[in-house]
Amino acid sequence: MHRAVYEGDRRLSVIDVPDSPPGPGQVQVDVAYTGICGTDLHILHGVMDRRVGVPAVIGHEMSGTVARLGDGVDGWHPGDPVTVLPVLPCGACRTCAAGHGNVCPQLTFIGIDSAGSMQQRWNVPASALVRLPGTLDLAHGALAEPTAVAVHDVRRSGLAAGEHAVVVGGGPVGLLIAVVARRTGAHVLVLEPSPQRRAVADQLGFTAADPATADTNALVGDWTGGEGAAVSFEVSGAAAGVTTAVQALAPHGRLVMVAIHAAPREVDLHRFFWRELTMLGARLYSRHDMATAVELVAAGHIPAAQLITQVLPLARVGAAFAALESGAGVMKVLLDCAAAR
C-alpha cells in the first residue's frame, strides 16, 4: 500500500509498505480522503519534529470505510463509512474525570503522536471510530473533524441567537466557525485580508471586510449599533488579529482564542478591566462535538463543496501542501488516498 511520509526538513515522500493487519481492539480503515490542516503545515515546517518523530505519517482530517476488524472488535462491519476522532485522553486524570478530555495533560493525538491518515490503509483503535451516514459523500465527510473544531469553539463562546460575533480570520476554520455561529441565530462578520477568502465568505452570505484597509472599530460600531460584538473569535494567529478581536468586543464580551499563536502576544488588559471582558481558550473538541459536526455535514449545513477547492491523489502530497501554502484561492485541500499513483 502507499503511504505519505514526512521525513523532516520540509521533505515529503510517498513509499510502498506491506499491508499490516489490525491488532486486537483495532480496525483497519480504507482511507478515502485526508484533509491538510494548519497543524500539518506546522509539522512540515519542522516546528513539531520532537513531538511527531521523523519519519512520520501525519494527517487526521479524514473519511473512509471499514476494511478489517481486529480481535475483540464488535459493532463494525466491512464497508461501514467512518471518520476518526483523533483525540485520545488518558481517561484516568482529574481533567478527564471532569469531562475535559480534550485538554488532558496526557492526551495522545492520532496523526501527531501516532501514525496518521495519509496512507491507503490505516489501523486505528476501534474506540476512535465515528460512524458516517451511508448517503454522505466521503469527500464531504473529511470535513467532519474541522467542523468539530468550529462546533467546540462556538459552544465555548456561549454564543446565543441575536448576538453579534466577529470572526477574525476567514480561512477554512474561520468560515466553519462563521457557519456554525450563524446556525445558532447569531449575526456574523468576517474580517479577512485575503480577497480570495473574502470572496468565499461573500458567496456563503457573510459580510466580510479587509481589516488591513477598513476602520474595523467604526465598521463593528456601525454594524452593532455602537455596542460592539458579544463574541469575537481570533482565528488569524497574528498579533494584529488579537488586537482587532479585543477591540471589537462590547462590555462583557467574550474573546475566544482559536488560533495557535507560536509567540506570546500583547493583549490590552486595560480594556479587559474596563469592559469586564472574558478570554476563553478553545482546544480541539469532544465526541459530542464530533457527533454534532457529522450531523451538520450530513444535513448539508456545511458548504463542503465551496470549501473544498482542490483534491489531489496521495502521490501528489507535495503539490497538495504547496497549494495550501500558496494561499492563492485555496481553502481546503484533500488528498485522495484511494487513487492509483
Side-chain angles (χ1 to χ4, degrees), residues 86 225 262 293 320 333:
V333 179

Side-chain angles (χ1 to χ4, degrees), residues 164-248:
H164 289 78
V166 174
V167 179
V168 182
V173 171
L175 290 184
L176 285 169
I177 289 171
V179 170
V180 175
R182 184 168 60 187
R183 288 284 305 165
T184 71
H187 309 287
V188 182
L189 170 68
V190 176
L191 299 177
E192 166 57 49
S194 164
Q196 293 91 352
R197 288 181 167 182
R198 286 200 308 276
V200 176
D202 288 339
Q203 291 168 14
L204 299 181
F206 294 106
T207 300
D210 183 355
T213 59
D215 182 341
T216 55
N217 289 338
L219 176 63
V220 172
D222 290 344
W223 178 60
T224 62
E227 295 182 359
V231 174
S232 60
F233 297 92
E234 203 308 284
V235 201
S236 73
V242 175
T243 299
T244 298
V246 172
Q247 291 290 322

